[in-house]
Amino acid sequence: MLDTSGPENAGRLVAWNTNTEQLHKIIYLAKPMITNSSFLNDLAVDSKNNAIYIADTGTSSIIVVDLESGVVRRVLKESKSTKAENINMIIDDQTVYLNGQPVRMGINPITIDSNFEYLYFGAMSGTSLYRIETKALLDVTLTEQELEKNVQRYGDKPISDGITIDQSGNVYITSITKNAIGFTKQDGRYNTLIQREDLSWPDGLAVGPDNYIYATINELHRSPVLNNGKDGTRGEFKIVRFKALSDAKIGR
């Protein structure tokens, strides 16, 4: 769990043991790795390499946390793969604004495959899905330029919030401007899977038991911060689920 309620410009990773119902560990995320502009968002857990990768939307970069040592590193800062594209977020025929400006959000959606070989990610305000080998992310000898060369464009995606992946390489992606959830196949093409009016800002995705994928629906664009200070929510907060197209492993 990522907790951002700590001291100013800081956060912490909190591990809770669900078997013993006890606190397992806390790793504090502080300056200089966490900056005044940081907005810590989605994360992916790499249990093979004892690491966590956090999308820092505010600085358009990835935070790499070594779970054994607690060492925190920032990588791919303002890379093409993590930066927002200059595209408007239009929902219900209206452009979404934040602080008086059209929303431009960097890296947010992030997930890891079941073999812990690749990290998949992209900008919320972006039309490309990328991936990078975890061994490259964990290689502290690589320069930013060398690391950048390891980033691969995986395929197309919509303006999106959450993603997850199955074991056949289908990356499931929320489409927040289309009230939809789709997937990008290994050939790079994006396809709509579900589209309904009540899927108002589909946010996070997670794989559960029996190959079901669960999605949170939160109407975020109708909240005051993105709606000119007005609460326009309609109470359509929910969790929905759908069957994965292929076998999918819990924990994505």
Side-chain angles (χ1 to χ4, degrees), residues 191-202:
N191 303 269
T192 297
L193 188 62
I194 307 166
Q195 188 170 30
R196 298 191 333 223
E197 283 191 16
D198 66 333
L199 298 183
S200 184
W201 196 299

Side-chain angles (χ1 to χ4, degrees), residues 32 56 60-61 70 75 89 109 117 123 140 147 152 160 164 167 176 198 206 226 228-229 238:
D56 187 344
S60 298
S61 56
V75 299
M89 182 183 294
E117 184 179 3
V140 297
L147 194 61
Q152 306 169 13
S160 57
T164 192
Q167 293 184 204
I176 57 182
D198 66 333
L226 296 179
N228 298 315
K238 61 174 87 61

Side-chain angles (χ1 to χ4, degrees), residues 6-148:
E8 184 180 1
N9 303 322
R12 53 191 174 186
L13 285 166
V14 180
W16 186 264
N17 188 320
T18 56
N19 293 318
T20 64
E21 292 298 335
Q22 292 180 323
L23 180 65
H24 173 67
K25 189 175 186 178
I26 296 177
I27 294 178
Y28 290 92
L29 310 173
K31 292 183 176 181
M33 286 298 104
I34 306 304
T35 73
N36 294 340
S37 302
S38 287
F39 175 21
L40 304 185
N41 222 307
D42 294 1
L43 58 81
V45 179
D46 184 348
S47 57
K48 178 180 178 180
N49 297 299
N50 291 317
I52 289 181
Y53 313 105
I54 304 170
D56 187 344
T57 306
T59 64
S60 298
S61 56
I62 296 174
I63 304 293
V64 180
V65 182
D66 185 319
L67 292 178
E68 290 187 1
S69 67
V71 171
V72 179
R73 298 164 46 236
R74 179 184 299 279
V75 299
L76 296 177
K77 183 176 181 181
E78 295 197 347
S79 160
K80 178 182 178 181
S81 62
T82 58
K83 287 178 64 175
E85 296 176 26
N86 189 28
I87 51 177
N88 287 338
M89 182 183 294
I90 302 173
I91 305 178
D92 300 334
D93 298 321
Q94 293 186 345
T95 300
V96 181
Y97 285 79
L98 176 65
N99 298 326
Q101 300 293 326
V103 168
R104 298 288 187 272
M105 290 285 188
I107 181 172
N108 182 348
I110 191 169
T111 194
I112 194 169
D113 68 70
S114 59
N115 295 320
F116 308 102
E117 184 179 3
Y118 283 97
L119 184 77
Y120 294 77
F121 62 94
M124 175 185 282
S125 301
T127 57
S128 292
L129 177 68
Y130 297 93
R131 72 176 186 177
I132 187 172
E133 287 184 284
T134 54
K135 68 178 182 182
L137 280 175
L138 297 168
D139 188 345
V140 297
T141 68
L142 294 180
T143 65
E144 278 288 286
Q145 292 74 20
E146 291 169 336
L147 194 61
E148 180 77 33

Side-chain angles (χ1 to χ4, degrees), residues 129 154-157 169-171 173 183-186 188-190:
L129 177 68
Y154 191 72
D156 302 325
K157 78 168 191 66
N170 297 309
V171 180
I173 308 173
F183 65 99
T184 297
K185 302 190 294 185
Q186 289 192 31
R189 291 182 297 175
Y190 173 80

